Amino acid sequence: MSHLNFVSKWVLEVFNDQFEKTFVVIGNHDYYLISNSQKRKYKNSSIYRAEEMAEIIEDLSNVIFFHSVYGTGALKYNGKVFAEITMKSLPKTEEEKSFYQIIMNDSKYITSTPEVYNTFDLTSYNYLSDLNIDVFISHYPLIRTYSHNKHLNDGSLGSYLCEVNEMAAPINLLGNVHEKDQLYEVVGTKHYTNTLGYPNENLRSIIRELKCK
């Protein structure tokens, strides 16, 4: 949501007042420590930003925080079981590792290696597979998207995709890739993305409603 937790708090306070229920899963920018003051505040550990977000959201009655370490894993709401995890990507090949270290801002602003966050998330995800999840929400995609297919030869895939052995839910909502109103159907599962993107991308995305039968 933001590089600063107090900004995310302002946004969620508005959502808390406007919506019956808001589900939150954080992305890579919510782990960023972009200044020396932030590094001091969070003891140079990005995971403490997530811990603080969990504490902030405790005071918001209509907001649920999903996280593999500090938050809820799954929740039944209106007869459907929802689950959310960041699903941090993991660069594996030498090309992917090089892309992460040289190109990605994540390597500059997120402390600890991608392996740490990916392990947390995959451990939680594998547990959720046994809970009959109806809708799974993640920041990182679990499948290749149009954006990925444009960059398959530059090592970026390992920084934008989280690989899983099997899908835990028939319906999946994803972020991270800046694509407007897209649906991908993969092996009997549906994957929706409708991100706002950066202002200069001019995606003109609008809030859309998805009804689960």
Side-chain angles (χ1 to χ4, degrees), residues 107-120:
S107 65
K108 302 173 187 175
Y109 300 127
I110 300 179
T111 64
S112 298
T113 63
E115 285 86 353
V116 173
Y117 301 97
N118 179 262
T119 298
F120 285 150

Side-chain angles (χ1 to χ4, degrees), residues 125 142-143 166-172 183-192:
Y125 186 81
L142 307 182
I143 49 97
E166 61 179 324
M167 302 300 172
I171 296 175
N172 300 266
L183 166 62
Y184 298 91
E185 299 191 52
V186 180
V187 194
T189 61
K190 295 182 178 181
H191 301 255
Y192 296 88

Side-chain angles (χ1 to χ4, degrees), residues 105-176:
N105 284 328
D106 289 16
S107 65
K108 302 173 187 175
Y109 300 127
I110 300 179
T111 64
S112 298
T113 63
E115 285 86 353
V116 173
Y117 301 97
N118 179 262
T119 298
F120 285 150
D121 291 349
L122 283 183
T123 298
S124 295
Y125 186 81
N126 292 334
Y127 167 74
L128 294 175
S129 299
D130 299 324
L131 299 182
N132 297 317
I133 305 300
D134 294 300
V135 180
F136 181 72
I137 305 169
S138 63
H139 179 71
Y140 289 85
L142 307 182
I143 49 97
R144 285 184 178 180
T145 73
Y146 171 72
S147 297
H148 295 149
N149 290 333
K150 291 192 301 183
H151 302 288
L152 289 181
N153 297 317
D154 66 0
S156 64
L157 194 61
S159 294
Y160 293 106
L161 168 72
C162 183
E163 295 182 325
V164 297
N165 292 328
E166 61 179 324
M167 302 300 172
I171 296 175
N172 300 266
L173 309 180
L174 57 96
N176 201 41

